[in-house]
Amino acid sequence: MGISVAGTHGKTTTTAMLATMLKENKLDPTYVIGTGDVGSLGAPGHLGKGKHFVAEADEYATEPQHDKTPRFLWQHPHIAIITNIEFDHPDIYGSIDAVRAAFSQFINKLPANGTVIAYGDDHEIRKMLRTYNKKVITYGFNPDNQYVFKRVTLSGEQLFFWIESHGTSLGQFRLHVSGEHNALNALAVIITGLELGVPLEKIRKGLLAFRGSKRRLEYIGETLTGAKVYDDYAHHPTEIKTIIKTLKQQYPKKHIIAIFQPHTYSRTKKLFGEFQRSFEDIDTVIITDIYASLREKPDTTVSAQLMIEGMRSLHREVLYLPQLSDVVKYINKKRYRANTVIVTMGAGDVYTIHSEIGIQDE
């Protein structure tokens, strides 16, 4: 049975979490995940002997120059998970309406007895589902969803949450990853597991094996002077806000430094104001030059410098360090200690600085 996980954010983690849960329950799924490594799985791809095929489903174009077909339209799942819908690829989609239409086309490919499992609090998802007439299961915080969070709490690096469905409590669940967004990812996995006939207690135990994915709020280690270092693929304002919120909850008394490398001229330009406002409540923001994609031409009307100029009145400390080598020099000079958390963010090569800022060997 094919299970596709789509959404602007969260699809990689949800796919990895689902594959882990199925693997832990000896179901040996086949899976394809869009990341470099998953701690609980090893390689991000596996040809299993079980009957389930779990695949990350991307809305980006098959080949930007020659074939604009959204990649997920090549998939033919029985179950489709939709984590959220936002405007993220202005080089492919002209508007949020075009993005929503692509997702609508995707779910309409499901068979008559297929199932959509969707985040029901998402405005664009709700709009998409208005005209959809096949089976839908929604989840979220709003009580009108079929699966609803009653409480979500963070304790250290563990996440606890309680859910109910149609007024019946399903009890407590625990994850070894932090962030409210991961509770949402896990709930999509729980619903999928139940639809596949996996007992609730086995789903609960299977989720505990998941320890995160490469470049998804990945803990890198500590610098020689004691600062904790994390890394995330976040390249959209919503993702940035989510990562900052999670780190602030996890380390409420620590100084948090975000090192952000904007990705593509088109996305930076289209979401310029949102990027400027996405670092609220953070202590220090370091912005590098835009990481340009080979699929687009340089655009001199947008730059990291221009972004910084509009951010200075919004944040306590905003720095423009054009090159990654400038960032390395700055971090090594400041010698941040145990009261500091550093997070690198972006879809480019910002993560390469980790080898240059003195991460301690475990």
Side-chain angles (χ1 to χ4, degrees):
M1 178 184 290
I3 307 159
S4 293
V5 184
T8 308
H9 321 295
K11 54 184 174 287
T12 297
T13 298
T14 305
T15 309
M17 198 180 286
L18 176 56
T20 298
M21 186 276 289
L22 294 174
K23 176 189 173 186
E24 289 298 309
N25 283 293
K26 314 299 182 187
L27 294 173
D28 194 20
T30 295
Y31 51 82
V32 179
I33 307 166
T35 187
D37 180 73
V38 181
S40 55
L41 298 171
H46 171 71
L47 178 59
K49 296 179 181 179
K51 63 180 181 180
H52 305 303
F53 189 155
V54 182
E56 183 171 337
D58 192 354
E59 75 273 22
Y60 195 68
T62 300
E63 205 297 310
Q65 300 300 321
H66 306 290
D67 188 351
K68 303 285 188 182
T69 304
R71 291 173 182 170
F72 55 27
L73 294 185
W74 298 108
Q75 298 184 20
H76 300 276
H78 186 86
I79 295 175
I81 297 172
I82 312 294
T83 59
N84 42 63
I85 299 174
E86 279 202 83
F87 189 62
D88 185 32
H89 299 292
D91 56 328
I92 300 298
Y93 296 101
S95 67
I96 185 61
D97 292 336
V99 179
R100 188 178 62 256
F103 276 88
S104 182
Q105 189 178 358
F106 172 59
I107 63 173
N108 275 292
K109 286 168 55 67
L110 266 64
N113 62 344
T115 302
V116 172
I117 298 170
Y119 176 40
D121 297 351
D122 185 284
H123 177 66
E124 294 300 329
I125 287 178
R126 290 199 304 272
K127 288 174 70 173
M128 178 185 69
L129 293 176
R130 286 174 191 165
T131 57
Y132 188 72
N133 55 17
K134 299 173 188 175
K135 182 178 178 181
V136 175
I137 300 173
T138 61
Y139 63 92
F141 290 88
N142 290 335
D144 59 351
N145 290 296
Q146 287 143 284
Y147 287 80
V148 181
F149 287 102
K150 302 309 293 181
R151 186 154 58 104
V152 178
T153 62
L154 181 66
S155 178
E157 295 184 359
Q158 293 192 89
L159 189 69
F160 297 85
F161 60 93
W162 291 257
I163 57 177
E164 71 173 31
S165 178
H166 303 289
T168 299
S169 173
L170 300 185
Q172 175 191 285
F173 292 80
R174 179 163 59 99
L175 297 174
H176 289 298
V177 290
S178 58
E180 188 176 275
H181 61 292
N182 275 318
L184 285 165
N185 296 334
L187 185 45
V189 171
I190 292 165
I191 298 167
T192 305
L194 291 173
E195 287 296 295
L196 297 176
V198 182
L200 191 61
E201 286 308 311
K202 289 190 174 183
I203 296 173
R204 206 185 309 271
K205 291 178 181 178
L207 286 172
L208 284 174
F210 182 71
R211 301 277 176 159
S213 303
K214 190 76 174 175
R215 303 217 63 212
R216 270 65 181 182
L217 200 53
E218 178 187 6
Y219 178 61
I220 304 302
E222 290 187 2
T223 64
L224 295 174
T225 50
K228 291 184 180 296
V229 179
Y230 286 83
D231 178 57
D232 198 272
Y233 191 69
H235 57 281
H236 184 281
T238 298
E239 295 167 341
I240 292 169
K241 290 178 182 178
T242 297
I243 294 307
I244 291 173
K245 178 181 178 181
T246 299
L247 289 174
K248 292 288 283 187
Q249 289 175 338
Q250 192 168 345
Y251 301 104
K253 296 182 180 180
K254 291 185 183 289
H255 182 95
I256 298 177
I257 300 171
I259 301 169
F260 177 57
Q261 181 187 53
H263 184 251
T264 75
Y265 293 101
S266 57
R267 180 184 291 112
T268 305
K269 185 173 184 176
K270 193 70 176 180
L271 303 176
F272 194 79
E274 293 179 50
F275 276 119
Q276 289 181 315
R277 296 185 296 273
S278 62
F279 294 91
E280 293 176 356
D281 300 324
I282 202 165
D283 300 293
T284 301
V285 185
I286 296 172
I287 308 287
T288 74
D289 278 338
I290 296 169
Y291 184 92
S293 169
L294 294 175
R295 63 185 183 240
E296 64 177 5
K297 295 179 181 179
D299 185 342
T300 57
T301 66
V302 64
S303 69
Q305 276 183 296
L306 289 172
M307 185 184 293
I308 287 283
E309 289 174 12
M311 292 173 66
R312 296 197 189 280
S313 63
L314 302 174
H315 305 285
R316 280 170 268 184
E317 186 176 32
V318 184
L319 304 171
Y320 170 56
L321 300 179
Q323 304 301 315
L324 296 183
S325 57
D326 300 323
V327 178
V328 170
K329 290 177 184 177
Y330 180 82
I331 296 297
N332 288 340
K333 180 180 179 181
K334 297 294 285 188
R335 296 179 62 81
Y336 291 108
R337 300 190 179 278
N339 67 333
T340 301
V341 175
I342 300 169
V343 56
T344 51
M345 292 189 285
D349 61 355
V350 65
Y351 61 90
T352 61
I353 73 168
H354 300 149
S355 61
E356 304 295 327
I357 59 174
I359 303 294
Q360 298 181 40
D361 294 330
E362 293 186 359

